[in-house]
Amino acid sequence: MTTSADTISQQVSAELHGSVTIIVLGASGDLAKKKTYPALFSLYQKGYLPDDTHIIGYARTKMTIEAYHDRITHFIKIKDETTKQQLDKFKSMTTYQSGQYDQDESWQTLDTTIHQSEEQRGISPGKRNRVFYMALPPSLFVPVAKGLKKNVYAKEGLTRLVVEKPFGMDTESSNQLARELNALYSEKEIYRIDHYLGKEMVKNVMMVRFANIFFNQIWDRKYIDNVQVTFKERVGTEGRGGYFDDFGIVRDVMQNHLLQVLSLIAMERPISTDAEAIRDEKVKVLKCIPPIVLEDTLLGQYVGANGKPGYLEDDTLKNKQSKTPTFAAMTCWVQNERWEGVPFIMKAGKALDDAKVEVRVQFRNVAGSLYKGSPRNELVLRVQPQEAVYVKFNNKQPGLSYQTIQSDLDLSYHDRYKDLDIPDAYESLLLDLLRGDHSNFVRKDELEAAWKIFTPVLHEIDRQGANIDIKTYPYGSRGPEELTSFVRKYGYDRSDANYDWPIQSLSSSGNQ
Ligand code: BG6
């Protein structure tokens, strides 16, 4: 499957017939400022926004157009004179309107503005497409979706509604939200963002698996011993504890981002690369995963260390006795022919010793090996930072020695690809939206299947409240010290003590 820049532009034209009005709801907020507008600008720079796009920011805050432009361009880096000129043009395409989220009159004013703009731009009926991007807190999802449907819905073109997590707190609340949104908009109109699906390496998983015969053939329980999906952040929840405390790390990143990655790793080959074919397979594999149990779970919360505050010391935290996990390791099992018995371990934590996201597929030992004790092969997909795909494999130590040494077949993007320009996840997803490709957005049934895996254990954790077993770990550490035995329990073998990445010294190596 190859998709050139021209093909992408053609797909955008086919979907939108050359015109769109993008309405960013919550335009004064952080998500809009940090992600939505920089992504839109980048798409504009690359020529992927239809020529006469109009972007309208909408929020309650009253702001002058200058203040709005300053705000939305705050995170855009101006490299040179060309970028500056492009930015001026981009600003001229963007306007702002303040209004309420719960009043028909405000929505009707917005509708009038859009309509006038469509007329002025000479967009013919049938091509008057409207994209509503909800960069809003979850309490506003339904009221805003209702107000838009009633008053601002595109009557002469396509309507698209973009919404981002949190999608509820458990299966029931998520289903409730889905019911309310789906009563207003068709599934085709809704684009649920999980921004991990827009990351370069996550988009690459299918290619690695299905375009390479050597991975494809060994991708099962016979050859793979265990799989880990790891998310580590150095920062704690400083300043965001108030929000985070209602969710915890499992709802914040594991039930969505990590599980999405896992489903791409574990799913069967889709019948095609069509969005629904891919999402069908993701749903199928999620349905093969029974709910995670507490026995397969390790929870942690960070405490102050090295001059950094503990989770409970966060000023924004209301409950100073909170037992909300900031770290979790959870193992799930895919009960199908391909994966039975293979543990899939998800690990996520804040305030850790490193910042990285990766998938680590550990293969089984070589049966009857001539080189006993050689470490296992691993395939690592490093999602961030610095995208890389590498395979840890055993090699003869160069020189007169006959020792084996673990090295790697390394595809580090920055070394390998010239003029590398990896788009931000939001840019990539917004482009998918403009070309009408749902593959990297979460379907309703997928969301439900994902929640079913986590809801029982989350309810159990909530039910146990203050009695829940939660380990502490120092800010800036690897996580709770029980982590090593936790992953070992599932067979993860860490016998590569002499392995350094990326440059290896030969003086200290050696496995006989
Ligand atoms: C968000 C979580 O969804 O993802 C944050 O709410 C987390 O807590 C973030 O920090 C991580 O995203 P990224 O793209 O920085 O890895």
Side-chain angles (χ1 to χ4, degrees):
M1 183 180 63
T2 52
T3 315
S4 67
D6 282 350
T7 316
I8 294 173
S9 296
Q10 281 160 14
Q11 289 167 338
V12 174
S13 312
E15 173 76 0
L16 298 172
H17 307 291
S19 74
V20 66
T21 308
I22 301 174
I23 301 100
V24 181
L25 291 313
S28 60
D30 259 13
L31 176 64
K33 178 172 75 170
K34 289 186 180 153
K35 297 292 180 185
T36 319
Y37 282 103
L40 287 169
F41 175 62
S42 194
L43 289 175
Y44 164 72
Q45 271 185 309
K46 291 173 190 163
Y48 288 133
L49 280 193
D51 285 344
D52 61 3
T53 300
H54 180 190
I55 302 169
I56 303 177
Y58 184 94
R60 280 184 290 221
T61 317
K62 289 205 170 19
M63 251 189 286
T64 61
I65 187 77
E66 291 77 23
Y68 165 69
H69 282 157
D70 281 352
R71 211 180 157 81
I72 63 169
T73 54
H74 189 79
F75 282 86
I76 296 172
K77 286 195 193 76
I78 302 177
K79 285 192 298 231
D80 48 26
E81 191 52 31
T82 314
T83 321
K84 197 173 164 299
Q85 285 166 9
Q86 289 167 330
L87 196 59
D88 286 341
K89 176 78 191 2
F90 179 73
K91 282 186 194 168
S92 73
M93 293 160 57
T94 65
T95 58
Y96 180 73
Q97 185 161 329
S98 72
Q100 299 305 310
Y101 291 125
D102 55 357
Q103 287 171 14
D104 283 344
E105 298 106 75
S106 290
W107 292 129
Q108 283 153 11
T109 313
L110 176 63
D111 185 57
T112 307
T113 306
I114 302 172
H115 188 71
Q116 282 168 353
S117 159
E118 288 163 346
E119 292 277 319
Q120 270 163 19
R121 288 181 284 153
I123 300 169
S124 46
K127 297 182 180 177
R128 297 182 169 182
N129 307 308
R130 300 180 179 186
V131 170
F132 299 107
Y133 189 110
M134 301 213 285
L136 294 167
S139 59
L140 290 172
F141 290 171
V142 174
V144 168
K146 271 190 188 147
L148 292 172
K149 178 67 196 276
K150 185 171 165 202
N151 303 291
V152 206
Y153 189 82
K155 290 169 207 75
E156 298 169 320
L158 301 175
T159 293
R160 298 289 179 253
L161 185 79
V162 186
V163 57
E164 186 165 358
K165 78 167 182 68
F167 301 120
M169 296 287 285
D170 56 12
T171 311
E172 204 187 313
S173 49
S174 167
N175 283 350
Q176 171 72 18
L177 174 65
R179 270 195 301 275
E180 291 185 278
L181 289 183
N182 283 85
L184 299 162
Y185 300 86
S186 69
E187 192 59 22
K188 198 167 175 220
E189 290 173 327
I190 301 176
Y191 283 75
R192 290 183 201 84
I193 287 194
D194 182 311
H195 79 282
Y196 265 59
L197 292 177
K199 291 193 186 263
E200 182 65 29
M201 190 54 69
V202 178
K203 285 192 155 182
N204 188 32
V205 172
M206 279 185 51
M207 308 257 180
V208 169
R209 285 193 55 193
F210 302 117
N212 293 299
I213 194 161
F214 48 94
F215 290 131
N216 197 356
Q217 295 302 307
I218 56 173
W219 209 254
D220 62 24
R221 63 195 296 276
K222 197 166 162 210
Y223 297 100
I224 292 177
D225 190 273
N226 60 78
V227 178
Q228 293 186 64
V229 186
T230 306
F231 168 102
K232 293 176 106 176
E233 277 187 340
R234 282 188 207 276
V235 282
T237 60
E238 292 98 315
R240 221 178 138 236
Y243 161 85
F244 185 87
D245 206 48
D246 288 338
F247 292 89
I249 195 77
V250 181
R251 288 183 171 99
D252 189 39
V253 300
M254 199 180 272
Q255 180 272 343
N256 32 61
H257 306 330
L258 299 200
L259 190 67
Q260 280 294 338
V261 176
L262 190 154
S263 66
L264 287 165
I265 295 285
M267 72 181 187
E268 296 298 312
R269 177 190 176 284
I271 56 167
S272 72
T273 53
D274 283 352
E276 299 321 321
I278 295 170
R279 300 198 297 179
D280 284 348
E281 289 309 329
K282 285 169 74 191
V283 174
K284 263 197 238 163
V285 78
L286 289 175
K287 286 185 173 172
C288 291
I289 304 178
I292 294 170
V293 293
L294 206 50
E295 294 68 38
D296 283 329
T297 297
L298 172 68
L299 301 175
Q301 190 185 76
Y302 65 89
V303 292
N306 311 315
K308 295 284 193 178
Y311 178 67
L312 298 179
E313 284 142 40
D314 188 334
D315 289 341
T316 58
L317 200 71
K318 281 179 238 109
N319 175 8
K320 299 287 179 200
Q321 259 98 51
S322 169
K323 289 279 185 176
T324 298
T326 59
F327 174 95
M330 290 186 163
T331 302
C332 66
W333 309 86
V334 183
Q335 287 187 345
N336 63 13
E337 213 177 341
R338 184 185 292 274
W339 294 118
E340 180 156 323
V342 178
F344 284 78
I345 308 164
M346 288 172 279
K347 300 179 296 181
K350 301 226 170 227
L352 297 178
D353 60 338
D354 202 356
K356 69 170 178 184
V357 176
E358 65 176 31
V359 178
R360 187 171 294 269
V361 178
Q362 187 172 67
F363 293 90
R364 292 192 183 281
N365 293 322
V366 176
S369 177
L370 284 178
Y371 303 100
K372 291 230 176 328
S374 297
R376 290 174 172 178
N377 293 124
E378 288 180 1
L379 165 69
V380 180
L381 304 179
R382 199 170 53 210
V383 176
Q384 63 192 41
Q386 303 209 328
E387 294 74 3
V389 180
Y390 60 94
V391 176
K392 287 166 69 170
F393 87 128
N394 297 305
N395 201 28
K396 176 185 167 306
Q397 179 172 332
L400 295 176
S401 160
Y402 277 93
Q403 287 193 320
T404 58
I405 176 175
Q406 181 149 67
S407 295
D408 42 68
L409 301 171
D410 169 18
L411 172 59
S412 281
Y413 280 26
H414 285 267
D415 298 336
R416 177 66 182 164
Y417 299 121
K418 218 172 138 197
D419 305 325
L420 182 71
D421 173 25
I422 294 189
D424 183 71
Y426 284 85
E427 181 185 338
S428 167
L429 291 177
L430 278 172
L431 182 58
D432 284 347
L433 161 88
L434 296 177
R435 59 197 188 103
D437 183 351
H438 259 105
S439 327
N440 295 304
F441 294 84
V442 186
R443 205 166 67 185
K444 184 173 149 233
D445 51 350
E446 197 179 343
L447 191 58
E448 179 172 11
W451 271 119
K452 281 188 172 163
I453 297 169
F454 284 91
T455 295
V457 74
L458 285 168
H459 281 179
E460 180 59 21
I461 294 168
D462 294 343
R463 196 188 61 74
Q464 290 200 18
N467 298 323
I468 192 76
D469 182 15
I470 184 160
K471 315 289 184 199
T472 56
Y473 62 96
Y475 198 117
S477 65
R478 278 190 69 230
E481 59 183 42
E482 291 79 359
L483 179 62
T484 307
S485 54
F486 181 86
V487 289
R488 197 172 286 144
K489 184 168 94 181
Y490 299 101
Y492 177 62
D493 181 2
R494 203 159 187 276
S495 59
D496 56 352
N498 296 316
Y499 176 81
D500 291 317
W501 199 86
I503 301 293
Q504 209 158 6
S505 158
L506 294 179
S507 59
S508 61
S509 60
N511 284 292
Q512 205 67 47

